């Protein structure tokens, strides 16, 4: 039996990101991934939203993604494009980049952090007790871990074996997506009818065609075949254009489900294992990666004995509502896909509203992930929201806020007189930065907010405490988020 602090089931974007977060904190973590390599067959996510790019920027790896992707205004709601080019962020755009490329970049980063990945194997069962979890792998190997995290997708074995319920709604629509070759010239572009949306697009190689078609029937749970695709195309276009030689064929529906709890003892869930929903708005990968960033530093502190096991309750308290809102907005967008006269009228009305400044800003902030707000109690508008990546001035020269977060360590930025804040009992865990900033404080969803005198930033980039000219309740916030004060020698 091999012992690790954390075993992660699943090496997709969520599992890779979580492994990276834990490795940055010095935690012994291993990934179990059923694929023999990081190669990804099929079409999954097509890009990154602004907040996810910011998250990568916080870790100093955003440039790796930007070098391979194409910047674009990709935020939208129910077919209405939402421009975020005027938002107060270094990344007022989305990034067109296939999930296969996203995973490859994350895998290289994780490899640099020396995380071991058991490839070609999967978790087949586990048993937890008061001190850890015995994890059984498909090749017969047994791992022992303090915690097991299921990042193993919507059909998560970890979730099922942990007995965690997965309530939600059954599908009402079903779509096939594929890459194929054709004999006949097709009707290129997007078509929308009473059945749903359909699209045929020429791929970069000029030989293959990307297909998305809505099926007449809902309910099939088997792997889709070339015959299924042929029948769906014929029902819509009157022909299947002589489809052949598929690279892949897959099916997605508007099934919407969320785990009742994200934790059962020493078992935790993240990403699609915790929530599934339609792809409308491109929010799935983004939500999973940000689950990982929220969980990673918290789990690391528990493993290292800095925080009690109960600290993990904040993971569900913060991330469950975020995913619930994603599920809700995708259901709305699915409802607005319909092409009957009433729905078209409603969709047109939505588009008119979203053209107005305030609705545009609110919905664009939601769809880009820039408006996430964790409920940390009453206080300054920054509390519980993402910390802007400001250009600070320090005694050592200019400093970007996100640079402080590259190693996933919390930071306290003092914008008052140097030496006016004392965190001696936490300096082994929290960076103290004396700085000046004379510019505006603006949040994407709220606009201008009052300038604080100090901010305490968590490793995930969210503000845990805001100074108002005093250090009132700072010790309480430090203890809550980063453990008990260190005893000083006499």
């Amino acid at each position: 039996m091999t012992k690790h602090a954390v075993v992660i089931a699943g090496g997709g974007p969520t599992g890779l990101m979580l492994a990276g977060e834990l490795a940055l904190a010095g935690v012994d973590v291993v990934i179990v991934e059923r694929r023999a390599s990081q190669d990804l067959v099929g079409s999954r996510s097509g890009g990154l939203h602004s907040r996810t790019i910011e998250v990568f920027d916080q870790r100093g790896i955003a440039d790796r993604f930007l070098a391979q992707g194409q910047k674009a205004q990709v935020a939208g709601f129910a077919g209405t494009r939402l421009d975020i080019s005027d938002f107060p962020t270094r990344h007022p755009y989305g990034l067109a980049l296939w999930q296969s490329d996203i995973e490859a970049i994350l895998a290289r980063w994780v490899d640099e952090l020396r995380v071991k990945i058991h490839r070609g194997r999967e978790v087949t069962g586990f048993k937890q007790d008061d001190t850890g979890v015995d994890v059984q792998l498909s090749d017969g190997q047994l791992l022992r871990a303090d915690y097991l995290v299921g990042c193993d997708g919507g059909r998560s074995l970890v979730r099922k074996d942990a007995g965690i319920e997965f309530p939600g709604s059954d599908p009402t629509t079903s779509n096939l997506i594929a890459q194929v070759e054709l004999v006949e010239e097709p009707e290129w572009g997007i078509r929308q009818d009473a059945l749903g949306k359909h699209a045929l697009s020429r791929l970069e190689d000029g030989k293959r065609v990307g297909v998305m078609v809505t099926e007449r029937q809902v309910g099939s749970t088997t792997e889709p075949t070339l015959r299924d695709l042929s029948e769906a195309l014929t029902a819509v276009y009157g022909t299947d254009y002589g489809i052949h030689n598929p690279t892949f064929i897959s099916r997605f529906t508007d099934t919407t489900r969320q785990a009742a709890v994200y934790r059962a003892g020493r078992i935790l869930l993240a990403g699609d294992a915790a929530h599934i929903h339609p792809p409308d708005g491109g929010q799935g990968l983004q939500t999973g990666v940000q689950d990982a960033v929220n969980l990673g530093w918290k789990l690391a502190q528990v493993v290292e004995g800095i925080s009690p096991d109960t600290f993990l309750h904040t993971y569900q308290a913060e991330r469950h509502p975020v995913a619930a809102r994603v599920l809700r907005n995708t259901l709305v967008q699915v409802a607005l896909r319909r092409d009957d006269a009433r729905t078209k009228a409603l969709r047109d009305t939505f588009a008119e509203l979203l053209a107005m400044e305030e609705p545009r800003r609110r919905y664009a902030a939601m769809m880009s992930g820039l408006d996430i707000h964790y409920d940390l109690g009453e206080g300054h508008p920054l509390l519980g929201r993402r910390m802007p990546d400001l250009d600070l001035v320090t005694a050592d020269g200019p400093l970007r806020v996100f640079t402080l977060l590259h190693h996933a360590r919390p930071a306290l930025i003092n914008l008052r007189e140097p030496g006016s804040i004392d965190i001696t009992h936490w300096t082994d865990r929290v960076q103290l930065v004396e700085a000046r900033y004379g510019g505006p404080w603006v949040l994407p969803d709220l606009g201008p907010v009052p300038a604080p005198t100090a901010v305490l930033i968590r490793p995930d980039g969210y503000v845990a405490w805001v100074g108002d000219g005093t250090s009132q309740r700072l010790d309480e916030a430090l203890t809550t988020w980063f453990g008990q004060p260190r005893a000083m020698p006499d």
Side-chain angles (χ1 to χ4, degrees):
M1 183 184 295
T2 306
K3 178 73 168 64
H4 299 281
V6 178
V7 171
I8 298 172
T14 302
L16 290 168
M17 193 71 203
L18 179 59
E21 295 291 292
L22 291 166
L24 284 172
V27 171
D28 176 19
V29 56
V30 66
I31 297 174
V32 180
E33 167 55 39
R34 62 179 176 79
R35 290 174 290 171
S37 71
Q38 205 63 46
D39 293 345
L40 185 65
V41 177
S43 176
R44 308 287 176 87
S45 173
L48 302 171
H49 282 306
S50 178
R51 179 54 187 160
T52 310
I53 302 171
E54 283 193 340
V55 165
F56 293 146
D57 203 351
Q58 289 174 181
R59 298 299 179 255
I61 58 174
D63 288 348
R64 306 184 188 194
F65 299 90
L66 295 172
Q68 293 194 31
Q70 181 176 354
K71 296 177 184 178
Q73 290 299 321
V74 299
F77 188 85
T80 298
R81 186 67 57 88
L82 299 169
D83 190 348
I84 66 169
S85 60
D86 61 340
F87 274 20
T89 170
R90 291 186 194 274
H91 305 288
Y93 46 76
L95 191 71
L97 187 65
W98 291 115
Q99 182 170 326
S100 56
D101 298 314
I102 294 169
E103 286 195 18
I105 295 169
L106 285 173
R108 286 193 292 271
W109 176 58
V110 164
D111 184 61
E112 292 167 14
L113 295 172
R114 300 184 181 280
V115 174
K116 182 175 178 58
I117 303 179
H118 291 294
R119 295 197 178 276
R121 284 169 272 186
E122 56 189 313
V123 173
T124 57
F126 58 84
K127 184 177 182 181
Q128 63 173 314
D129 54 43
D130 292 341
T131 61
V133 188
D134 291 333
V135 184
Q136 184 72 51
L137 305 190
S138 54
D139 65 350
Q141 185 177 0
L142 193 63
L143 304 179
R144 177 72 175 176
D146 294 330
Y147 292 91
L148 169 64
V149 186
C151 301
D152 50 340
R155 297 183 178 91
S156 172
L157 178 141
V158 173
R159 184 191 65 241
K160 293 173 182 176
D161 281 12
I164 297 175
E165 295 183 1
F166 203 40
S169 59
D170 292 329
T172 63
T173 65
S174 178
N175 295 76
L176 295 176
I177 53 175
Q179 289 181 3
V180 296
E181 294 180 22
L182 305 182
V183 173
E184 307 168 20
E185 185 78 6
E187 176 187 317
W188 298 110
I190 298 173
R191 173 190 283 198
Q192 184 157 351
D193 55 27
L195 197 59
K197 270 190 176 181
H198 325 280
L200 293 162
S201 60
R202 195 189 306 272
L203 299 180
E204 291 180 357
D205 64 4
K207 183 178 181 182
R208 292 171 301 147
V209 173
V211 178
M212 194 275 282
V213 62
T214 304
E215 296 181 279
R216 283 190 180 277
Q217 303 297 325
V218 178
S220 177
T221 58
T222 59
E223 287 297 316
T225 64
L226 191 63
R227 180 175 179 178
D228 292 331
L229 183 61
S230 172
E231 291 176 352
L233 284 169
T234 302
V236 173
Y237 295 95
T239 175
D240 68 1
Y241 300 111
I243 56 169
H244 63 283
N245 195 23
T247 305
F248 74 88
I249 306 172
S250 62
R251 175 180 283 117
F252 71 88
T253 72
D254 62 340
T255 299
T256 305
R257 297 187 180 279
Q258 185 175 21
V261 294
Y262 283 9
R263 181 188 183 194
R266 293 178 173 271
I267 312 302
L268 296 123
L269 304 176
D272 288 353
H275 40 75
I276 58 171
H277 51 81
D280 300 66
Q283 301 166 89
L285 182 148
Q286 330 295 324
T287 308
V289 166
Q290 293 174 54
D291 284 347
V293 175
N294 184 283
L295 175 60
W297 67 277
K298 296 174 178 178
L299 184 55
Q301 287 190 178
V302 172
V303 168
E304 297 295 327
I306 295 170
S307 298
D309 180 82
T310 54
F311 186 53
L312 293 174
H313 296 337
T314 65
Y315 169 57
Q316 172 164 330
E318 293 178 355
R319 293 304 298 173
H320 201 278
V322 170
R325 188 175 66 157
V326 170
L327 266 62
R328 184 179 65 183
N329 81 51
T330 56
L331 285 176
V332 172
Q333 293 180 81
V334 168
L336 291 173
R337 278 193 216 157
R338 302 186 185 112
D339 208 47
D340 60 89
R342 291 175 177 80
T343 304
K344 288 176 68 175
L346 182 59
R347 190 166 58 242
D348 290 344
T349 301
F350 248 96
E352 291 176 10
L353 290 171
L354 292 176
M356 300 177 185
E357 178 58 20
E358 179 66 12
R360 189 271 306 184
R361 190 177 71 187
R362 289 295 183 94
Y363 272 74
M366 176 178 69
M367 298 306 294
S368 61
L370 293 169
D371 75 335
I372 292 172
H373 179 210
Y374 299 136
D375 184 6
L376 305 188
E378 296 182 0
H380 192 281
L382 277 169
L383 188 63
R385 288 186 166 88
R386 56 177 274 286
M387 175 67 186
D389 185 23
L390 307 177
D391 289 307
L392 305 175
V393 177
T394 73
D396 297 323
L399 176 69
R400 279 180 56 193
V401 168
F402 282 6
T403 303
L404 296 170
L405 302 174
H406 283 185
H407 299 289
R409 290 191 62 212
L412 175 61
I413 301 175
N414 180 25
L415 299 165
R416 294 159 54 194
E417 305 80 19
S420 58
I421 291 181
D422 179 17
I423 61 166
T424 301
H425 296 286
W426 287 273
T427 51
D428 59 326
R429 284 158 269 164
V430 181
Q431 308 168 77
L432 176 59
V433 180
E434 308 281 3
R436 290 180 290 112
Y437 176 72
W441 291 75
V442 185
L443 298 177
D445 54 330
L446 299 182
V449 299
T453 60
V455 284
L456 177 62
I457 311 168
R458 307 188 323 187
D460 58 359
Y462 289 84
V463 176
W465 173 85
V466 182
D468 58 1
T470 71
S471 297
Q472 186 178 10
R473 304 191 71 176
L474 175 57
D475 285 3
E476 179 183 334
L478 287 164
T479 302
T480 297
W481 296 108
F482 310 117
Q484 293 295 322
R486 179 183 56 179
M488 302 301 293
D490 295 334

